[in-house]
Amino acid sequence: MLAPVLAWAKTAARYPRSADHMEAVLELSEPLVHWLAAAQPLLEEFLGWWIESPHAALEAHQVEYTRLFVARWGGIPVPLYASWYLDRETFRGAAAEVTAGFYEKWGLAWRETDLKAPPDHLAVELEFLEILCRDVLTAPREAAEVTLSALALWQEFRSSHFDRWVPCCAVAMGRHATLPVYKVLALTLTHLCEEDQAHEGHHP
Amino acid sequence: MAPLSRREFLQWTTGGVAAAALSDWVFFKKILWATPEEGEKLFYHSCHICDCNCGMIYQMKNGRIVEMRGNPADKLGAAGKLCVKGYSTPRLYHDPCRLSHPLQRTNPRKGRDQDPAWKIITWDEAFNLVGEQFRRAYDQYGPESILLFARAKPWDSHLQYAIGTPNQLCHVDTCYINHEVAGKAVSGQRIWGWDFSHAKYIVGFGYDQPGKSKNIHQREFMEARRNGAKIVIFDPRLSETAQKADLWIPIRPGTDLAALLAMIHVIIDQGLYDKGFVEKYTVGFDKLKPHVAKYTPQWAEKICDVPAQTLVQIAREFGSIRPATLAYHKRDAGGPVFMNSFQTAHAMLVLQALVGSLDRPGGLYFSRTPKLPSIKDVYQLSYPDLQGKARFDDPENLTPLAFKAQKAGFSTAADAILNDAKPHVALFHSYNTTSFSNPQRFEQALKKLDFIVNVDMYLTELGMYADVVLPENLWIESSGFTERSYQAERPQILLDEGAPKLHDTKSYGEIVNGILAAMKLYDFVVDPKKFTPAQLKALGLDKDTLRQAGGVFDSGEPFKPTEQFKTPSGKIELYSTVLEQAGHAPMPEWVEPAVKPTSEYPYYVVTHHLPWMRMLKNANDPILKDLQCENKAHIHPSVAQKLGVKEKDFVWLETPVGRIKLKVAVTEGIRPDTVMTEHGFGIWAKGRCQGFGWGQNEGEILPDRTLAEMKRWKRHAAGRGVGICDTTVRITKA
Ligand code: SF4
């Protein structure tokens, strides 16, 4: 259930470079509304706007993404990487190193993309969680030595790293976002962390 | 978090979706073999925060700079030490406020209260936007319609020459232009080095480089101190350097020229000059002697508020203790501060020559940087001819010497843009509106331009008026080498091994070539990566040799004093024919400061740099900011009493240009008729999240200059120095 949600969140957490990207945000959103009912009206609002004036909607999302997460008159309100929250507002701090260690444990290396998202960027971490979800039965054991199960790694990654910064990021995002996509992303992240918390105390 | 069972985890996470192939992922690749733990890797670089260019060694681990220290092999530089600014480099590298992507403005309205509403664009999109706008201006209005606010560094000059615009504007008329123009006119060279350690007598006029924590200055100065040199500092405030001196003379602001002329008078009158040096290496002494006869110490006393007897004593000691030297550099009394500062710079050179310490041990040195091939040489380019093309800000060619090296222009930029239809587009390379006095007026001028591109590492105040912002690599991310200029005893080269780029940024060479390609000026598009290896090769060096030598190449050449000077006569010209031909005063002469205190504006204002700040380069460093996060109004206790204020109260400083509100700092170390405040504060563009909102920009109360003023001051202002402190202020309790 979570993998498609993570796939949507990862896509929303990336810069909306093109109309195709916006289409992907819409296409991937279907499973999300089953998991998070509150997302539905916001996504419908977005869909209506997208159908009516895709060009304006794309640019508005590009401006909003830049304003919230990258560069803004007034300072960036919601940096999208862990080091900001965990390493006293640093870019590519120790938290980035920590994430790379987690990826390595699953036989993965972080790959730099054209926008140079750091290893502890929200989209990267969401994709890692998605990999753990989807690839859980086919961990790349033939590569680097994988010592942990996907489950154990998920839990360790979440508790020691992801859940320590994403809730703060989600709160800031919820406060500063003006467009439905980023409001939904904030809700999704909050719900994700809360849902995981709900499993607390549940023993196999 | 409590553990889940494997089955629950699978149900919860996959929801029955099939596993994807690893190649479908955006951010990950499979590790094909286990990578060994990354060990310590050491790299060499020079610090580019200030022109001392101290040698550094830094250590990278997993994409982070984990340690940084001074390079002990850099013996003529910092000798293994960095100043507090240099140590801030890892924080600059990891600064979350650095620009990470090219940005395009989507809100066409510009102003301090307008959100530019940036959006990220690709480099191709950015180059196309800039290329299109610049090409249109180039075709419709000519290359002169393109203004380049940039230093005269290789890639900046390449862009200028390739486009063929005479209109490059540089900050140096708010910095060292007077010293440079005077040095070249009188001695054929610019003075760029100091041998204080061998001096026996040092006199500084507003000189406070050690107080600004410039490593090389500091080291030389403290060695002089240890070697027993006598040090005299003229300064309206008790600077850090003055605190280390034997004598502090709190001279009236704007009158250092009078003290210098009186010293020249005494030294000539009493026959204390170095007769051998003057005879062999100078011309024009016969004209200088009668010229300075009127500048007696008694005459100077009334102007500069220093007893005639003190001036006589200092002049006598300066003329008879050898080697004696003046201490000056950049924004001192001969710098950009007063309209008579060019004459001050000129008088300094003449005085230095009279005591025989111009390019001599224990004196001031000419620049001795290695001879390197230029971009034109390396790529065998032929640029359009700029000869005879009038500048938009000097249509009558009033200050040809200032513009000879494409330097200056800030002081009159606003006036020229507002009153001229020619400029249409502009590029700003690392310059900011806060670099200008009277930024309010400059911002009005910016609104008049059709298109502005800003190349920088931060979203600055200037960026708020830009249409496109191009993020440049931080200097520690650039590779190549640095030629040391401050220690001028012999040529030195420092290896620059760039750290990995953290963002989607480019080097300035890449940016310039991207713009030229987008402008379709293909004849000038080159591969910038070939430039520095070609330059090193010309010196018989390469990266590996430099690395083996500990990151520093020191030519080891013994110091050779100049025998033949690059002036028309081949000698130091005490009567400068170069200045005369350009229509300026050939010998230093007294000029009244442009403004004197009045009952409405009764106080002088002077400025200063804190040792941990380099303009705004470090303004976003949280640790340095905490050392002193805001600038203050430093006033004498008698003034505080008169105003009824005490330490930490607020006062307004007001001039005809504007007003700023500052906290009071009460100190005995300032003249009662003067207020001092520090430069480098008052960031209002919130792109620098740490530095934003602290203190006030003193530029807001300082004047810019008009073309009409330049015409009036032509005789005296050969260097076009901006006269930034030629204003007086009113202080009121806030
Ligand atoms: S003096 Fe400080 S800022 Fe200047 S180059 Fe040296 S370490 Fe860097």
Side-chain angles (χ1 to χ4, degrees):
Chain A
M1 186 60 217
L2 260 195
V5 169
L6 292 167
W8 180 86
K10 173 188 80 177
T11 310
R14 295 178 64 201
Y15 184 64
R17 179 78 90 190
S18 61
D20 285 352
H21 187 100
M22 300 303 286
E23 295 283 355
V25 171
L26 278 169
E27 270 166 31
L28 293 170
S29 67
E30 205 202 315
L32 180 71
V33 294
H34 299 300
W35 180 77
L36 181 67
Q40 183 142 0
L42 289 163
L43 288 167
E44 278 168 8
E45 187 189 332
F46 166 50
L47 177 64
W49 188 20
W50 180 248
I51 291 168
E52 205 175 300
S53 48
H55 181 76
L58 174 62
E59 183 161 280
H61 281 80
Q62 291 175 330
V63 170
E64 171 96 331
Y65 187 98
T66 309
R67 180 182 76 83
L68 286 174
F69 311 130
V70 181
R72 179 207 174 204
W73 157 261
I76 313 159
V78 197
L80 273 196
Y81 46 88
S83 301
W84 171 271
Y85 302 88
L86 303 178
D87 296 324
R88 297 192 200 174
E89 304 181 1
T90 296
F91 182 81
R92 219 61 206 255
E97 240 181 287
V98 168
T99 55
F102 276 107
Y103 307 151
E104 210 169 295
K105 283 184 188 170
W106 199 242
L108 297 172
W110 160 76
R111 169 170 44 201
E112 206 170 64
T113 52
D114 57 344
L115 279 179
K116 284 192 162 255
D120 59 341
H121 191 275
L122 179 66
V124 183
E125 295 194 3
L126 287 167
E127 183 169 272
F128 179 60
L129 290 175
E130 193 194 347
I131 288 175
L132 290 181
C133 288
R134 292 190 194 274
D135 237 1
V136 68
L137 296 174
T138 55
R141 285 174 204 286
E142 75 283 6
E145 199 184 335
V146 177
T147 51
L148 283 171
S149 70
L151 166 60
L153 194 52
W154 168 283
Q155 288 182 325
E156 195 187 330
F157 183 72
R158 291 289 305 270
S159 62
S160 71
H161 175 78
F162 188 85
D163 285 21
R164 288 178 55 220
W165 73 275
V166 172
C168 302
C169 174
V171 168
M173 203 184 298
R175 196 164 49 229
H176 292 278
T178 62
L179 299 186
V181 170
Y182 301 110
K183 286 183 187 168
V184 174
L185 179 59
L187 289 173
T188 305
L189 295 173
T190 305
H191 193 57
L192 176 69
C193 294
E194 280 169 359
E195 184 165 284
D196 219 2
Q197 292 285 321
H199 289 279
E200 227 169 318
H202 184 113
H203 295 284
Chain B
M1 192 198 311
L4 293 170
S5 72
R6 180 177 171 79
R7 191 166 52 81
E8 282 168 326
F9 176 69
L10 286 175
Q11 278 174 353
W12 179 51
T13 54
T14 61
V17 178
L22 204 54
S23 57
D24 293 342
W25 305 113
V26 180
F27 298 109
F28 292 100
K29 58 188 179 203
K30 218 177 220 185
I31 298 177
L32 296 177
W33 48 81
T35 42
E37 168 76 1
E38 198 177 323
E40 293 182 2
K41 278 196 191 155
L42 296 178
F43 300 92
Y44 296 109
H45 216 289
S46 61
C47 174
H48 291 208
I49 293 175
C50 86
D51 286 344
C52 286
N53 295 129
C54 301
M56 301 174 143
I57 299 177
Y58 69 97
Q59 186 184 324
M60 294 290 304
K61 194 161 181 273
N62 296 330
R64 296 168 59 215
I65 298 182
V66 289
E67 207 205 306
M68 175 153 279
R69 56 179 185 266
N71 182 353
D74 182 20
K75 294 201 173 59
L76 286 181
K81 295 193 182 79
L82 300 176
C83 82
V84 67
K85 302 183 288 292
Y87 283 118
S88 74
T89 306
R91 292 192 295 279
L92 282 179
Y93 183 62
H94 293 284
D95 186 345
C97 295
R98 269 172 61 200
L99 278 166
S100 52
H101 304 86
L103 301 173
Q104 182 189 1
R105 168 187 287 270
T106 61
N107 175 6
R109 289 184 303 279
K110 295 180 179 179
R112 289 193 184 190
D113 52 352
Q114 292 293 332
D115 180 348
W118 300 111
K119 68 171 185 178
I120 297 174
I121 50 175
T122 63
W123 277 99
D124 283 347
E125 288 165 339
F127 284 142
N128 287 340
L129 277 167
V130 178
E132 195 185 304
Q133 295 287 338
F134 273 39
R135 185 72 211 199
R136 185 183 304 148
Y138 183 92
D139 290 337
Q140 286 185 7
Y141 312 107
E144 307 79 57
S145 65
I146 301 172
L147 306 185
L148 302 173
F149 289 80
R151 288 165 175 78
K153 299 242 166 148
W155 290 112
D156 295 297
S157 299
H158 175 59
L159 182 65
Q160 184 203 356
Y161 296 144
I163 290 175
T165 173
N167 296 323
Q168 189 198 14
L169 295 100
C170 174
H171 74 287
V172 298
D173 53 352
T174 61
C175 194
Y176 60 83
I177 186 90
N178 287 330
H179 290 306
E180 171 149 339
V181 172
K184 284 190 175 159
V186 172
S187 67
Q189 288 269 40
R190 78 168 176 174
I191 317 292
W192 213 242
W194 314 263
D195 187 27
F196 295 146
S197 49
H198 293 107
K200 293 273 176 283
Y201 199 89
I202 300 172
V203 179
F205 285 89
Y207 171 83
D208 190 28
Q209 296 293 321
K212 290 175 190 166
S213 151
K214 301 277 179 116
N215 261 341
I216 295 180
H217 281 267
Q218 235 167 20
R219 183 174 54 66
E220 284 280 331
F221 188 84
M222 293 315 290
E223 272 177 42
R225 186 76 280 190
R226 277 193 290 275
N227 293 342
K230 181 163 181 186
I231 299 169
V232 179
I233 297 291
F234 286 82
D235 199 317
R237 71 178 187 100
L238 183 63
S239 65
E240 281 72 6
T241 306
Q243 287 171 38
K244 300 265 180 297
D246 297 281
L247 200 55
W248 167 47
I249 316 273
I251 191 169
R252 179 176 285 143
T255 66
D256 302 56
L257 173 60
L260 279 156
L261 290 169
M263 284 177 73
I264 295 173
H265 168 96
V266 171
I267 285 171
I268 293 180
D269 189 54
Q270 301 193 7
L272 297 171
Y273 56 95
D274 184 332
K275 295 184 185 67
F277 188 91
V278 168
E279 209 163 286
K280 189 168 175 196
Y281 296 111
T282 74
V283 289
F285 183 76
D286 53 329
K287 291 189 173 115
L288 180 68
K289 189 174 175 179
H291 172 74
V292 296
K294 55 187 176 286
Y295 298 133
T296 62
Q298 291 71 25
W299 162 84
E301 175 179 333
K302 290 190 210 100
I303 295 171
C304 52
D305 196 20
V306 179
Q309 204 41 49
T310 306
L311 290 170
V312 170
Q313 184 205 330
I314 294 168
R316 277 194 190 138
E317 289 174 355
F318 192 74
S320 51
I321 300 174
R322 301 272 155 77
T325 188
L326 292 170
Y328 64 82
H329 190 57
K330 294 195 174 176
R331 295 179 74 152
D332 55 22
V337 286
F338 300 105
M339 201 37 76
N340 64 17
S341 285
F342 179 79
Q343 297 302 312
T344 306
H346 190 176
M348 285 173 173
L349 269 158
V350 167
L351 184 56
Q352 188 82 11
L354 287 174
V355 296
S357 55
L358 202 49
D359 206 46
R360 293 295 181 271
L364 299 172
Y365 284 163
F366 294 153
S367 182
R368 276 182 177 70
T369 46
K371 292 198 175 28
L372 294 166
S374 66
I375 290 177
K376 187 173 182 243
D377 302 332
V378 169
Y379 300 99
Q380 301 187 341
L381 301 172
S382 163
Y383 293 119
D385 193 5
L386 281 182
Q387 207 61 37
K389 276 195 174 182
R391 287 184 63 101
F392 84 112
D393 52 357
D394 193 14
E396 295 176 49
N397 202 18
L398 296 170
T399 51
L401 303 175
F403 287 133
K404 210 169 173 184
Q406 285 75 47
K407 288 178 175 172
F410 271 28
S411 52
T412 48
D415 194 56
I417 294 172
L418 288 168
N419 293 306
D420 193 326
K422 275 193 239 51
H424 282 269
V425 298
L427 174 142
F428 286 80
H429 181 200
S430 295
Y431 279 140
N432 190 3
T433 57
T434 49
S435 317
F436 293 78
S437 9
N438 198 354
Q440 307 92 306
R441 187 153 185 258
F442 186 65
E443 288 160 31
Q444 289 308 314
L446 291 181
K447 286 189 194 170
K448 206 187 147 203
L449 296 171
D450 304 340
F451 181 83
I452 295 172
V453 54
N454 180 207
V455 183
D456 210 309
M457 287 173 280
Y458 287 96
L459 209 46
T460 68
E461 287 72 5
L462 192 281
M464 295 301 131
Y465 292 87
D467 296 276
V468 170
V469 176
L470 304 179
E472 187 182 0
N473 295 345
L474 181 67
W475 49 269
I476 194 86
E477 295 170 326
S478 289
S479 296
F481 67 91
T482 299
E483 41 177 341
R484 149 95 30 76
S485 62
Y486 268 12
Q487 220 301 343
E489 204 171 310
R490 52 185 186 255
Q492 298 141 70
I493 295 269
L494 293 114
L495 174 63
D496 288 338
E497 295 179 304
K501 279 195 319 181
L502 288 189
H503 299 288
D504 186 19
T505 54
K506 286 193 187 291
S507 71
Y508 195 57
E510 291 170 315
I511 292 172
V512 162
N513 284 285
I515 292 174
L516 290 174
M519 286 182 76
K520 302 191 172 59
L521 294 171
Y522 299 119
D523 287 350
F524 304 104
V525 180
V526 297
D527 177 2
K529 291 202 176 69
K530 293 189 178 150
F531 182 48
T532 47
Q535 285 191 308
L536 279 180
K537 199 171 160 205
L539 293 174
L541 293 170
D542 58 32
K543 264 185 359 212
D544 295 336
T545 334
L546 279 171
R547 190 158 230 287
Q548 279 154 22
V552 181
F553 166 75
D554 180 344
S555 71
E557 288 167 18
F559 176 76
K560 272 196 234 119
T562 301
E563 294 288 321
Q564 185 73 20
F565 295 84
K566 293 178 186 163
T567 57
S569 61
K571 298 195 172 191
I572 297 166
E573 299 199 342
L574 301 177
Y575 182 100
S576 169
T577 52
V578 173
L579 287 170
E580 185 176 45
Q581 272 166 25
H584 308 302
M587 290 181 289
E589 58 190 34
W590 172 244
V591 178
E592 289 286 345
V595 177
K596 284 185 180 172
T598 60
S599 53
E600 199 182 352
Y601 299 107
Y603 297 96
Y604 293 102
V605 58
V606 293
T607 65
H608 159 59
H609 266 181
L610 288 166
W612 49 86
M613 288 188 73
R614 166 71 177 154
M615 317 289 175
L616 292 173
K617 275 191 191 170
N618 315 78
N620 208 48
D621 185 312
I623 295 179
L624 297 186
K625 187 195 79 184
D626 281 353
L627 293 172
Q628 183 181 325
C629 63
E630 59 193 341
N631 54 334
K632 296 175 184 167
H634 298 256
I635 52 174
H636 193 266
S638 62
V639 179
Q641 199 183 16
K642 200 151 84 190
L643 294 169
V645 294
K646 57 185 184 321
E647 190 86 9
K648 293 186 184 163
D649 283 351
F650 280 95
V651 287
W652 286 106
L653 301 193
E654 197 170 351
T655 72
V657 172
R659 67 178 197 159
I660 55 176
K661 189 177 166 186
L662 297 174
K663 246 183 216 164
V664 167
V666 182
T667 171
E668 298 268 353
I670 193 158
R671 287 174 60 93
D673 59 1
T674 304
V675 55
M676 184 281 277
T677 189
E678 298 91 349
H679 176 68
F681 292 90
I683 295 171
W684 57 265
K686 303 170 203 171
R688 279 187 256 235
C689 34
Q690 289 289 343
F692 165 73
W694 293 100
Q696 301 265 293
N697 173 16
E698 89 291 355
E700 305 265 352
I701 60 167
L702 301 179
D704 64 332
R705 294 296 166 201
T706 64
L707 298 187
E709 279 174 319
M710 283 297 149
K711 198 164 182 172
R712 267 204 318 278
W713 290 327
K714 176 179 167 72
R715 180 171 171 84
H716 308 298
R720 220 179 164 86
V722 66
I724 47 180
C725 290
D726 264 325
T727 189
T728 47
V729 298
R730 174 164 59 228
I731 311 176
T732 48
K733 192 173 175 177

